[in-house]
Amino acid sequence: MIFEKHPELRGKHATLAPSQPYWLRYDNEQLYQKYVSSYAQSMGTSLHELAETLIANGLKLKKNDELTVLSHLLGDGIPRNVIDMDRIYGNLRNYVNDGIGYKLTPEQILYYSPYCFGTADAISFRNNFLRIHDLKTGTQPAKMEQLLVYAALFCLEYKIKPGDIDVELRIYQNEEIIHDEPTAEDILPVMDCIVQHSRMMEQIHEGELR
């Protein structure tokens, strides 16, 4: 038997994947939600790219700019029937406009070691005030812990003592703005964990630990 090669499908995953056969028991509504969720990651990527461009160029979104966002998503191959503009647009507009208003730098990589680094959606540091904003496009409630790690990475990379600065963290999700103002007591343990875990990973990499 000579099997078909299907080279165009290498590295891709089907919505109805054999490796995750839960869909065998799905009804029509569950199948529809599966279809919608299969585009969640690509839609999130598309919205983050658009937000980065808008913030970097100081282009605020107005109340009637929904078609601009819709056109961008469609251009990135997101099907119209999975785009909920009522849920997406207000959240994106708040995030973009605040990012511009606070003069944030979008998509900034924060680095401590080859084992611990990440990209903050939007960040600024001036007058000893660290501000980090995060855009969430999914519906599952996000946790502030991720932003706390970004704050710790910032302090480690730029050798800033968290007790010497003020910090505000914001999550933009479902048209809500969740904010936190962590103190040094919150950030220092995360910094210590990053340092210790990075050291451990390095020892494992060098074969010192198994």
Side-chain angles (χ1 to χ4, degrees):
M1 173 92 188
I2 299 176
F3 290 99
E4 294 291 338
K5 300 296 184 183
H6 302 297
E8 74 283 2
L9 298 179
R10 289 283 181 181
K12 294 184 179 180
H13 299 280
T15 303
L16 305 180
S19 59
Q20 295 179 322
Y22 316 110
W23 48 267
L24 288 171
R25 292 171 289 279
Y26 281 2
D27 58 24
N28 289 346
E29 176 59 25
Q30 289 172 308
L31 278 174
Y32 175 75
Q33 292 304 323
K34 178 73 171 176
Y35 174 78
V36 171
S37 66
S38 71
Y39 285 95
Q41 183 175 350
S42 55
M43 183 155 59
T45 298
S46 179
L47 289 171
H48 276 83
E49 289 174 349
L50 175 60
E52 178 183 10
T53 298
L54 293 172
I55 293 173
N57 291 282
L59 301 172
K60 289 188 175 184
L61 288 171
K62 300 182 178 117
K63 288 185 177 180
N64 58 352
D65 282 341
E66 290 96 336
L67 287 179
T68 299
V69 176
L70 178 59
S71 177
H72 177 83
L73 291 171
L74 293 173
D76 278 350
I78 311 298
R80 178 66 183 89
N81 63 340
V82 307
I83 302 173
D84 184 355
M85 288 302 296
D86 290 336
R87 184 181 67 83
I88 291 171
Y89 185 72
N91 191 54
L92 179 69
R93 183 164 60 90
N94 289 336
Y95 170 77
V96 167
N97 292 354
D98 282 354
I100 294 170
Y102 286 112
K103 298 180 180 179
L104 304 187
T105 298
E107 301 300 322
Q108 175 61 47
I109 294 175
L110 299 171
Y111 178 93
Y112 173 70
S113 76
Y115 309 103
C116 190
F117 58 89
T119 303
D121 286 353
I123 185 172
S124 71
F125 183 68
R126 60 177 65 90
N127 300 322
N128 285 330
F129 193 99
L130 175 64
R131 179 180 293 280
I132 302 175
H133 292 184
D134 196 73
L135 173 65
K136 296 299 183 187
T137 57
T139 57
Q140 291 298 317
K143 295 183 179 180
M144 194 63 69
E145 195 172 34
Q146 177 185 352
L147 276 69
L148 199 59
V149 175
Y150 288 142
L153 280 172
F154 168 83
C155 290
L156 286 168
E157 180 173 4
Y158 295 99
K159 297 178 172 57
I160 301 289
K161 294 180 179 179
D164 293 340
I165 64 174
D166 293 313
V167 181
E168 182 176 2
L169 310 176
R170 289 190 182 188
I171 292 175
Y172 290 74
Q173 185 175 34
N174 299 325
E175 291 197 72
E176 288 187 293
I177 302 174
I178 305 166
H179 70 90
D180 188 26
E181 297 178 4
T183 65
E185 292 181 354
D186 302 309
I187 299 172
L188 281 169
V190 181
M191 294 172 65
D192 290 341
C193 187
I194 290 172
V195 172
Q196 292 170 11
H197 283 15
S198 292
R199 186 180 299 124
M200 181 71 72
M201 293 297 291
E202 183 63 30
Q203 290 175 339
I204 294 172
H205 177 73
E206 295 296 331
E208 298 174 17
L209 292 175
R210 295 183 184 277

